[in-house]
Amino acid sequence: MRVIARDAPIVVLTGAGISRESGLATFRDKDGIWAKVRLEDVATPEAFARDPARVHAFYNARRRQLRDPAVQPNAAHLALARLSQEWPGGVTVVTQNVDDLHDRAGTANLIHMHGELTKARCTACGAVMPWLEDLSLDTRCPACGATGTLRPHVVWFGEMPLAMDRIYAALDACALFVSIGTSGAVYPAAGFVAEVRGRARTLELNLEPSKGSQLFDEAIHGPATVLVPAFVARLLGPA
Ligand code: BJW
């Protein structure tokens, strides 16, 4: 990869692949989440309306997994956090992941476009609050007192991803767009590379070619814990 000017703004998009080596499953790999459960049953507003207990059980299990001491930020999360703190041109890290591994790594200027597993949202009063416990139909909203109105603060299919204005502003301004650990199957994130193409340099770092791999100026394939620290060391020098 060519080195870019140190005052050039960077946008990094991450997906489930960056957390795979921390022990969290991806969605569309052979052993991924959608091989075990149908997304139509757990990741749409219709599924939640039809069977909220099932949807709560799915997200409760994933939220509990985040508290497993074995699940920790890996070398890729840590390297990106360093880049976000030290790159003179500024870095916006846009993650599709609902886990908290970028946060725990200390990433600056982080946007969770598909929400956060460690937050709950009240469908009655709209309050969004930190939430580490299980949710159920008996859970009371601490903000308004309503019962059974809390849902995971995640973005399901058919819902609008979060902070899109901030994301498109960062994409408009960036000189380098880097996509890490995402299959490029879900929009609008899958469209970001086409959005910046021609205006910014584009780089894919993924285990295998993504759906949109041919749209990138450069694509490097391998595990995130190898590729991301090498990419960051290239820009900032060794840690
Ligand atoms: C490794 C690795 C290692 C493994 N190292 N790499 C066209 C335009 C716009 C929208 C649409 C459209 N067509 C259809 C839509 C609607 C829909 C959509 O995209 N559907 C597709 C299936 C076609 N999109 C939506 O509904 C979105 N909302 C929306 O579009 O609103 C309107 C709108 C329009 C225009 C602008 C703005 C708004 C909402 C999407 C919500 C997605 N929600 C989920 C669940 C979140 C909660 C949860 O976690 O349960 O988000 S689905 C799931 O997929 C999750 C992920 O964030 C998302 C992306 O998955 P990701 O991260 O790419 O994971 P994988 O598994 O697919 O890929 C992992 C990759 O890592 C693989 O390539 C591996 O090889 C690699 N890898 N190990 C490096 N060690």
Side-chain angles (χ1 to χ4, degrees), residues 16 21 27-28 59 62 96 114 155 158-159 182-183 187 206 224:
E21 292 164 86
F27 293 92
R28 295 171 185 79
Y59 285 100
R62 289 177 57 205
Q96 298 171 85
H114 289 165
V155 177
E159 295 185 322
T182 177
S183 62
Y187 287 84
N206 204 51

Side-chain angles (χ1 to χ4, degrees), residues 14-18 20-21 26-29 34 43 58-59 62 96-98 114 154-161 164 168 180-188 205-210 222-225:
T14 68
I18 197 168
R20 180 71 196 89
E21 292 164 86
T26 61
F27 293 92
R28 295 171 185 79
D29 289 312
W34 299 153
F58 172 71
Y59 285 100
R62 289 177 57 205
Q96 298 171 85
N97 300 342
V98 299
H114 289 165
V154 302
V155 177
W156 290 319
F157 282 102
E159 295 185 322
M160 184 61 87
M164 291 309 298
Y168 282 120
I180 302 172
T182 177
S183 62
V186 175
Y187 287 84
L205 303 176
N206 204 51
L207 194 59
E208 59 191 12
S210 71
T225 56

Side-chain angles (χ1 to χ4, degrees), residues 139-221:
T139 312
R140 201 160 172 268
C141 171
C144 71
T147 299
T149 54
L150 292 183
R151 57 163 280 183
H153 183 51
V154 302
V155 177
W156 290 319
F157 282 102
E159 295 185 322
M160 184 61 87
L162 307 176
M164 291 309 298
D165 290 352
R166 264 178 78 200
I167 294 172
Y168 282 120
L171 289 170
D172 272 350
C174 80
L176 173 65
F177 171 75
V178 188
S179 174
I180 302 172
T182 177
S183 62
V186 175
Y187 287 84
F192 292 169
V193 59
E195 186 76 26
V196 301
R197 218 173 154 217
R199 289 189 283 112
R201 296 209 2 248
T202 56
L203 169 67
E204 168 169 283
L205 303 176
N206 204 51
L207 194 59
E208 59 191 12
S210 71
K211 275 183 175 241
S213 202
Q214 74 291 345
L215 295 174
F216 288 83
D217 297 326
E218 189 178 357
I220 307 175
H221 299 125

